[in-house]
Amino acid sequence: MAKLKVDGKEIEVPDHFTLLQACEEAGAEVPRFCFHERLSVAGNCRMCLVEVKGGPPKPAASCAMGVRDIRGGPNGELPEVFTNTPMVKKAREGVMEFLLINHPLDCPICDQGGECDLQDQAIAFGMDSSRHTENKRAVEDKYIGPLVKTVMNRCIHCTRCVRFTTEVAGIAELGLIGRGEDAEITTYLEQAMTSELQGNVVDLCPVGALTSKPFAFTARPWELSKTESIDVMDALGSAIRVDTRGREVMRIMPRVNEQVNEEWISDKSRFIWDGLKTQRLDRPYVRRDGRLQAATWGEAFAAIKSAVSATTGSKIGAIAGDLASVEEMYALKALVNALGSANTDCRQDGAALDPSLGRASYLFNTTIEGIESADAILIVGANPRYEAAVLNARIRKAWRRSGLPIGVIGEGGEMRYPYEHLGAGTDTLADLVAGKSSFADKLKAAKNPLIIVGQGALSGAEGAAVLANAAALAMAVGAVTEDWNGFAVLHTAASRVGGLDLGFVPGEGAAAAADMLSSMDVLFLLGADELDFTKKQAKFTVYIGSHGDNGAHHADVILPGAAYTEKSGTWVNTEGRVQMGNRAGFAPGDAREDWAILRALSDVLGKKLPFDSLGALRARLYADYPHFAALDEIAAGNGAEIAALAKKAGKMTKSAFASPVKDFYLTNPIARASAVMAECSALARNNFKAAAE
């Protein structure tokens, strides 16, 4: 810790703090454009100038000077910093005047209206006139992809975007070319950026040079209602804010959550919102004469009742999709069980995860924040870049800090950090378990080794054997100790951990998801669209969901549900953190919340569920599964469960691991309904080459 005075106020701060951070700790406001807590220090905007007592007779850049760099007086006086002296005021006004020389006076039409850092700071710390009389410099706008719009006349070369893409996203595509007044920020040959995190530069840009292309000129911030919620595009559970106008979602922004997403979100999470308006199911449908036709709720329920009454409980099944919340899965499980069936499954991909093996067997036990404490990482059958882009940024952050060894078993590909490709599948994993690989020694030598098991390794015929062998490897290299659990399962579906916690898996002797498709008389699909419907032989299929996707195309009855922004629901992320998403708007037309549909249906089927409101449902849910009541908490798994799982390890037949996410932009029904995601997907397939606008 270090002591110093800021504007006469004595404070104590950690000695690694910059002067800027120390000033803010003391309550003094210091303007800045280039400084950002999560990026390296550039020190090139000079807006954060302060006066240091005893220093040179000129102001110092507080972002680039550390607390330990300043000295006290000769008689033991504390170092002093001033943020409000005439020298500082004059310096800031001069810097602001200089920065704004070429900035266009387009505030009325700028898309940053009401949210512009430059505007706020110009009013607070700038001067009311400019001495610049020469012509302003004009810079051509650049094409950097379909997501980020450029207005380069506004750019002040703070390099936040360059530092973010280089350091956090791991791409070397944005940079500064030219010198002096010809300097410009651009991509090489004006190609689209390739990162799945590029949308974050919109939030980082302090002057409106980079704005959201899909959102441009559609709304002003003061028109929007803002709802804090949770993202469900992957299993990370990033904290988001949903901005709506009326019942229309206008944009999605990140919120800060240090434990999960820091302040970043993936492009899919950010730009998915146009998919919430298209391909929507807004009324019930019943298949008549081979065609789906609009119907009333009563007609749809009557069709389901006649199908259910014509069969037995053992021939009724239910599959939960990737975006389902805990509440509706709980209601569906209760309904199906009441009908005398144990055929429930939340694992559309057939992953070999089972709650009977213990909660630790299917959680990311290290926690997402815990990745930064790892000192060796093995990735088995996963590509975190596509499966969890923000988590991948954490792995890159850990690598940048310590250069830790990273090994990959599976497809490999560009992951945004260097790694050792060990092999393709089960053979390599078996060698590691036997200690025959040099990477096994690196894991043993590590204090906190981390083994990430992806769904690509768990979904094949060998899934159960791979899971047990991965647990055996974790035990062999000392990844599971009293104070560290380095066995981590990386999920791709937001609903998966919640479904496993609920026990939404086949009961004894019951059918799994793939078998249900071919053997059931009545099959309930709760937003389940990622199944192989070519094998579907189920006689009668009921689809409950928000979008007209694969599941709805093969359904006999469609019951229109609510999307994740239109309901209050609980989701559990890959590390087992219980999170609640809030309703930002209402579902279109006759669509209803999924739990309410199931409650109404249960009444018609004569198996009335014991709740009439969401509150009553949650009361029952918390009574049966108490850990769901602890929001933002993680009910940690037990290391002994990993040890028990390891004992089941046996021989694996030869197979290769492949990531389940083939196209990052089109992984779920909402994404496939989005025109923006379709454009991104086409670009990615074309190797990000497109004609500049």
Side-chain angles (χ1 to χ4, degrees), residues 7 55 79 84 117 132 147 212 224-225 292 353 469 486 501 592 636 644:
D7 296 335
N84 52 11
D117 294 349
H132 183 73
L147 303 177
S212 170
L224 304 175
S225 302
L292 283 166
L353 297 166
N469 275 280
D501 282 352
R592 297 288 182 267

Side-chain angles (χ1 to χ4, degrees), residues 168-181:
V168 178
I171 56 171
E173 291 167 4
L174 269 183
L176 188 133
I177 59 169
R179 297 178 70 179
E181 74 166 16

Side-chain angles (χ1 to χ4, degrees), residues 678-691:
E679 189 178 352
C680 292
S681 172
L683 260 178
R685 285 198 301 276
N686 197 25
N687 206 21
F688 293 93
K689 289 182 175 67

